Amino acid sequence: MGPTITSIDATLGATIIDINLADMDDTAWRRVEDAFHHYAVLIFPGQNLSGRAQVAFANRFGDIEILRTAAAAKSVAVSNQMRDGTLLKPEEHHYQILRGNEGWHTDSSYMPLAAKASVLSAQVVPSSGGETAWADMRAAYDALDEDRKELIGTLSAYHSLYYSQAKIGYLVETGTSYGFHTKGAPLRPLVKTHPVTGRKSLFIGRHAYRIPGLDDSEAQDLLDGLVAFACQPPRLFAHRWQPGDVVIWDNRCVLHQARPYDYREARVLRHTRVAGDSASELATTARDERASGFEPSASNCEALET
Ligand SMILES: [Fe+2]
């Protein structure tokens, strides 16, 4: 029996059952890859993948983006719980990163090479809240009127994690964690053409902050207005996690956010990020005035720490 694919009641997303992601034959894989391009978000309930199997699944989509250079880790915890069981406090950097994830964003748009896809699996979930939500930027682009499409089709925005964290009150020093780098802020067109499907989508989110040719307040109003317009039904759905669930989404054409929850409860997800392709996700950068310096690079990698 092949996988059973059921569309979610939104312009994006499907749930896939009758499949074991740790042991897929070529036919099942082709159906998953086709569904990924069609639905952009795939939910796989009850997979209970090991860390190694999750990385192997993500690796089918492309190279893995290394998010923690110290350990060259191919998967990382997205968690408010430390290894010793204690919970992060509001003054801690990683707590503040988690709060930032509650804004609509696309992963690694602030790096020279934006991400292709992201995989999350649920380990521990809070009693309520903590869902992940996605919004369809293909359908959002399609829903714009022609004048708006014409205007934004000529514009690009800079993306910066320093900027998006500062906007919610967190000023972060260079080198504190992944994304707070000296490679500069990438400049990315507001309209992205998907390298596989050819569909156009909005490429926006909380990391986008400045548009050449517009003054900063005008740019911010435009970007905020696009996100508010785009992230509305029927272009939107949220997944309520159960331990063992696995999800993959296409960062090239959807935004996502973590929904709030009571941070006095643990929420532990495992994350693997699939690197973008240079031909379609690499951007040139300009000095980010919030960084301590500017050393342009076409690579997201830091030198491996020993
Ligand atoms: Fe994210």
Side-chain angles (χ1 to χ4, degrees):
M1 187 167 62
T4 303
I5 302 173
T6 307
S7 169
I8 286 164
D9 185 21
T11 61
L12 76 171
T15 300
I16 305 188
I17 59 171
D18 301 325
I19 190 168
N20 176 3
L21 294 183
D23 184 21
M24 270 189 289
D25 62 21
D26 287 348
T27 307
W29 160 241
R30 274 196 294 276
R31 292 200 61 201
V32 167
E33 190 179 34
D34 287 349
F36 173 73
H37 291 136
H38 184 74
Y39 294 105
V41 184
L42 303 178
I43 312 287
F44 300 93
Q47 290 287 326
N48 294 297
L49 289 185
S50 67
R52 187 183 294 256
Q54 176 168 326
V55 170
F57 171 63
N59 222 175
R60 287 177 177 268
F61 292 84
D63 294 338
I64 305 300
E65 185 175 342
I66 302 298
L67 305 175
R68 296 235 174 104
T69 49
K74 292 188 171 181
S75 66
V76 299
V78 174
S79 172
N80 66 334
Q81 187 173 46
M82 314 281 279
R83 281 176 195 216
D84 66 4
T86 58
L87 297 172
L88 293 175
K89 298 180 183 67
E91 61 273 20
E92 292 182 86
H93 173 66
H94 282 287
Y95 176 99
Q96 297 168 0
I97 292 290
L98 294 176
R99 297 315 297 237
N101 289 344
E102 294 174 8
W104 288 109
H105 66 284
T106 187
D107 289 335
S108 296
S109 69
Y110 47 79
M111 301 301 294
L113 188 65
K116 173 180 180 178
S118 291
V119 177
L120 279 180
S121 64
Q123 317 295 311
V124 179
V125 301
S127 56
S128 67
E131 301 89 349
T132 301
W134 295 269
D136 188 345
M137 295 301 106
R138 309 164 302 178
Y141 177 79
D142 292 347
L144 293 171
D145 62 41
E146 292 306 317
D147 288 349
R148 199 78 164 160
K149 284 181 184 166
E150 199 171 327
L151 168 71
I152 65 168
T154 62
L155 300 177
S156 296
Y158 289 106
H159 291 244
S160 165
L161 184 57
Y162 293 100
Y163 167 82
S164 49
Q165 287 300 92
K167 202 177 169 196
I168 57 171
Y170 302 133
L171 299 175
V172 184
E173 286 180 18
T174 298
T176 300
S177 68
Y178 191 73
F180 299 100
H181 56 74
T182 55
K183 298 167 189 289
L187 181 64
R188 303 185 180 282
L190 294 192
V191 179
K192 182 175 179 67
T193 300
H194 195 284
V196 176
T197 68
R199 280 189 77 177
K200 288 184 174 178
S201 63
L202 288 173
F203 200 82
I204 51 178
R206 63 186 290 261
H207 305 309
Y209 71 101
R210 178 173 294 153
I211 296 177
L214 302 185
D215 71 45
D216 283 354
S217 66
E218 196 181 359
Q220 200 56 61
D221 287 350
L222 174 62
L223 292 165
D224 289 347
L226 286 171
V227 170
F229 168 80
C231 300
Q232 297 288 337
R235 298 181 284 274
L236 179 65
F237 83 95
H239 179 62
R240 167 122 193 83
W241 292 100
Q242 298 293 328
D245 293 351
V246 174
V247 176
I248 186 164
W249 68 89
D250 190 336
N251 280 303
R252 300 167 297 187
C253 60
V254 304
L255 291 181
H256 64 282
Q257 64 173 183
R259 294 268 170 91
Y261 59 99
D262 183 344
Y263 277 62
R264 292 168 300 182
E265 289 186 52
R267 178 181 185 266
V268 183
L269 306 177
R270 187 196 299 127
H271 173 47
T272 308
R273 198 171 294 180
V274 181
D277 293 323
S278 298
S280 46
E281 277 72 64
L282 185 64
T284 55
T285 62
R287 173 178 286 277
D288 187 329
E289 66 269 27
R290 293 174 182 83
S292 65
F294 182 39
E295 300 161 80
S297 170
S299 167
N300 291 2
C301 297
E302 306 286 349
L304 282 180
E305 296 165 17
T306 53

